[in-house]
Amino acid sequence: METVIDIQHLNKSFGTHEVLKDISFSVNKGEVMTIIGSSGSGKSTLLRCINLLEKPSGGEIIYNGENILDDKHDIPTYRRHLGMVFQQFNLFTNHNVLKNCTVGQIKVLGRSKEEAEKVAMKYLKIVGMDQYINAKPKQLSGGQKQRVAIARALSMEPDVLLFDEPTSALDPEMVGEVLKVMKELAMSGLTMLIVTHEMEFAKEVSDRVVFMDKGIIAEEGSPEQIFNNPQQDRTREFLKRTFKVVY
Amino acid sequence: MSLEWIVKIVSENWQMFLRGAGVTLYISLIGTVVGAIIGLIAGVIRTIPAPEHGVKKWFLLFVNFLLSVYIEFFRGTPMIVQAMVIYYGSALAFGVNIEVMAAALIVVSINTGAYMAEIVRGGIVSVDKGQFEAAQAIGMNHLQTMMNVVLPQVVRNILPATGNQFVINIKDTSVLNVISVSELYFLTKSVAGNNFRYFESFFVACVIYFVMTFAVTRILLYFERRLEGPDNYTMVRGEEMQPAK
Ligand SMILES: Nc1ncnc2c1ncn2[C@@H]1O[C@H](COP(=O)(O)OP(=O)(O)O)[C@@H](O)[C@H]1O
Ligand SMILES: [Mg+2]
């Protein structure tokens, strides 16, 4: 199996607060991995360390056989191979939907405007937002914004797409439309690393599930194992708490 | 009777007043535009994330220090004094007599730049952090992030403050009379010096200043409204599902 990103002994501290402790795992090509865990366990920090929005305090991130934490690596060049979808969408408010999906392609990847628009339209169609290319972000609902944000990330044709709780900021009635798009992407063979609180969704789409607790990976396994036959007490407790809250 | 004098002064000296008003507007406009550009550049430099170590870090710290000195200095001294120092100082320092107009443009530009730098920094900080991160996440560097995402929003946000600076400049260029720039105040002084009707002459200047600042305020308001853009978007349907211009 081809590895896209290999994380080795990753650490992250904010001051004296150790948020990530010796995290190791790898993301394989075409695989959908979900990260679950209670709030404050370090899930967002882990994703942000992977695309270097936070600088890890220690460990290695191997991409294409090289440790990108070496000084010689250019961070923007590395980042264009990773897509990121944020909880708060973070669309560029000065651009319309189409331009949100083309500006990175044109400025970062050097694509022509025509090519960029063609690519953008392809992905906007996939997320069902191709009719809204002229709309500004503030004119869209939360679910629509998040679907545009997904199209923006896809338009860069990244090797792996990172999602940080993509539905947590949405009104309940909009969660479905975003999860539906993500399910389709998962089926299409896209490599995805998803932080989510949507357990049913995680169960359904994941090839592997990582359960994080207090900055460590407490358990990692198939969705079958994690949800139906968890090996760790902590995992069991988390699931018990979560499902009690949800149902 | 004053009114008669005013009519007489205007009819005899309207060309002087017009020229003075033109010079005042010219210096204020160039000064505001150049100042805004200085402010934008300073703002971009001052928000570069600090490199962890190495020569780059020290160089950036040094540049930021120079920028702070510039901003503090020009905000902390009166423009009338700056004009004197730059006009007479340039002769002393470089042995060149710069033209008064050049000195005037330089003084107003860098003075405005110092104020705009702070305004721009405020504008950059007010763009939500998420958009910076989204731009970084698709691989943009600091300059690309600024040019394509942040500055277009900043420019819109600081437009009122820039207009305000323009209005201040229209009024404050009057201090340039100390280096004999032929702006409105300076020419009014010479009109009054010829006819000894100080009140009437300066009353005319007063009205002209007000008309200029009022007009500029209105025009800028119009542009601000237009920049906000339409409230609606058009849906693209069926065959016309092409990127629209
Ligand atoms: N920029 C930061 N500075 C200091 N502490 C932070 C910062 N970001 C996150 N943390 C802390 O790190 C811990 C993990 O946060 P986070 O990764 O956001 O957790 P999760 O996404 O799992 O809810 C929390 O205790 C949080 O307070
Ligand atoms: Mg989080």
Side-chain angles (χ1 to χ4, degrees):
Chain A
M1 215 167 357
E2 193 184 333
T3 302
V4 181
I5 293 183
D6 192 13
I7 316 274
Q8 293 289 340
H9 309 293
L10 195 76
N11 285 298
K12 174 66 187 175
S13 302
F14 291 108
T16 54
H17 183 193
E18 229 186 339
V19 174
L20 296 178
K21 297 164 207 162
D22 197 23
I23 301 276
S24 299
F25 70 94
S26 53
V27 183
N28 299 316
K29 192 159 187 258
E31 190 179 41
V32 176
M33 243 179 121
T34 50
I35 302 175
I36 60 172
S38 38
S39 157
S41 56
K43 307 179 298 296
S44 296
T45 305
L46 176 56
L47 281 199
R48 294 167 58 80
C49 279
I50 291 176
N51 70 2
L52 302 185
L53 286 176
E54 301 288 354
K55 190 173 174 7
S57 314
E60 294 183 349
I61 298 176
I62 315 285
Y63 173 77
N64 260 346
E66 292 184 68
N67 178 14
I68 51 102
L69 296 182
D70 285 346
D71 277 343
K72 65 181 195 309
H73 281 274
D74 184 48
I75 294 173
T77 310
Y78 162 69
R79 281 196 185 121
R80 65 176 74 152
H81 301 290
L82 311 185
M84 176 96 167
V85 175
F86 299 87
Q87 189 174 343
Q88 301 293 342
F89 332 124
N90 296 348
L91 291 180
F92 305 136
T93 54
N94 56 317
H95 294 313
N96 66 18
V97 165
L98 183 64
K99 194 101 189 283
N100 261 280
C101 300
T102 59
V103 63
Q105 296 185 64
I106 295 170
K107 302 295 172 183
V108 176
L109 301 181
R111 289 180 183 158
S112 71
K113 187 162 173 275
E114 292 71 38
E115 192 192 353
E117 288 185 344
K118 223 173 87 192
V119 173
M121 287 309 285
K122 175 176 146 194
Y123 291 110
L124 282 167
K125 206 166 277 182
I126 288 176
V127 301
M129 286 301 291
D130 51 335
Q131 296 192 344
Y132 295 85
I133 51 177
N134 299 320
K136 284 284 184 75
K138 67 172 179 199
Q139 297 166 324
L140 301 176
S141 72
Q144 292 175 325
K145 280 187 212 174
Q146 195 59 297
R147 286 187 282 143
V148 172
I150 292 171
R152 173 177 69 182
L154 287 170
S155 295
M156 300 296 287
E157 303 187 314
D159 292 342
V160 52
L161 198 43
L162 315 176
F163 293 81
D164 189 6
E165 296 193 32
T167 59
S168 294
L170 297 177
D171 292 336
E173 70 267 24
M174 291 170 186
V175 170
E177 67 187 60
V178 172
L179 292 184
K180 179 167 165 282
V181 164
M182 291 175 65
K183 272 179 209 165
E184 284 164 13
L185 293 175
M187 308 256 256
S188 76
L190 187 73
T191 312
M192 297 159 85
L193 181 57
I194 307 168
V195 171
T196 185
H197 286 299
E198 298 289 334
M199 295 304 156
E200 289 300 326
F201 167 77
K203 211 174 192 170
E204 191 178 336
V205 303
S206 311
D207 296 307
R208 259 190 310 157
V209 180
V210 166
F211 168 62
M212 279 185 70
D213 185 49
K214 299 195 183 82
I216 64 161
I217 295 184
E219 188 168 349
E220 179 187 335
S222 66
E224 179 68 17
Q225 173 193 327
I226 299 287
F227 291 109
N228 298 342
N229 187 20
Q231 305 296 303
Q232 304 288 328
D233 289 343
R234 293 196 260 189
T235 318
R236 269 192 286 274
E237 256 156 51
F238 169 75
L239 290 172
K240 218 158 72 189
R241 253 182 296 135
T242 307
F243 282 99
K244 208 189 293 172
V245 172
V246 171
Y247 295 108
Chain B
M1 165 67 193
S2 283
L3 189 62
E4 280 158 26
W5 267 104
I6 288 172
V7 172
K8 186 168 148 56
I9 286 169
V10 170
S11 63
E12 279 173 8
N13 300 286
W14 63 272
Q15 283 172 310
M16 285 273 259
F17 283 117
L18 213 57
R19 193 151 61 89
V23 170
T24 289
L25 261 188
Y26 172 74
I27 297 173
S28 314
L29 183 62
I30 303 282
T32 306
V33 171
V34 176
I37 293 168
I38 294 174
L40 285 170
I41 294 170
V44 171
I45 294 173
R46 292 207 295 166
T47 51
I48 295 176
E52 298 269 314
H53 38 67
V55 185
K56 269 194 200 157
K57 177 183 169 183
W58 293 106
F59 182 70
L60 189 66
L61 279 175
F62 180 66
V63 171
N64 276 329
F65 170 73
L66 290 184
L67 281 174
S68 303
V69 169
Y70 155 62
I71 291 163
E72 294 301 326
F73 190 80
F74 276 85
R75 279 158 42 109
T77 54
M79 191 158 80
I80 191 166
V81 179
Q82 294 164 12
M84 297 296 268
V85 168
I86 286 179
Y87 182 59
Y88 293 104
S90 62
L92 269 184
F94 309 110
V96 287
N97 270 315
I98 51 173
E99 288 186 30
V100 287
M101 182 54 94
L105 291 174
I106 291 170
V107 169
V108 178
S109 296
I110 56 184
N111 180 282
T112 307
Y115 285 94
M116 291 305 296
E118 281 298 290
I119 294 169
V120 168
R121 179 156 75 169
I124 291 175
V125 172
S126 75
V127 173
D128 79 284
K129 202 166 145 269
Q131 291 189 57
F132 282 84
E133 294 192 339
Q136 284 171 17
I138 58 176
M140 287 191 189
N141 58 32
H142 183 69
L143 192 62
Q144 288 169 331
T145 304
M146 285 292 159
M147 298 303 286
N148 297 294
V149 177
V150 179
L151 291 187
Q153 298 179 46
V154 169
V155 166
R156 178 188 297 186
N157 290 342
I158 67 169
L159 207 64
T162 311
N164 194 33
Q165 197 63 45
F166 188 20
V167 168
I168 290 173
N169 282 343
I170 289 173
K171 296 185 290 179
D172 284 5
T173 44
S174 56
V175 305
L176 296 172
N177 81 86
V178 294
I179 55 168
S180 306
V181 179
S182 57
E183 41 69 48
L184 183 55
Y185 179 90
F186 184 79
L187 292 185
T188 308
K189 212 167 59 170
S190 88
V191 168
N194 287 335
N195 58 25
F196 299 107
R197 304 302 296 201
Y198 283 87
F199 166 72
E200 291 82 356
S201 302
F202 278 99
F203 183 78
V204 172
C206 196
V207 171
I208 297 173
Y209 273 118
F210 179 73
V211 169
M212 287 196 291
T213 56
F214 190 74
V216 165
T217 312
R218 295 288 121 175
I219 291 167
L220 283 164
L221 211 59
Y222 170 77
F223 278 117
E224 270 167 45
R225 297 235 172 88
R226 279 200 44 175
L227 261 181
E228 275 165 22
D231 286 338
N232 304 312
Y233 56 87
T234 47
M235 291 271 277
V236 185
R237 295 194 179 281
E239 297 86 67
E240 50 169 356
M241 216 181 285
Q242 288 295 321
K245 189 57 244 168

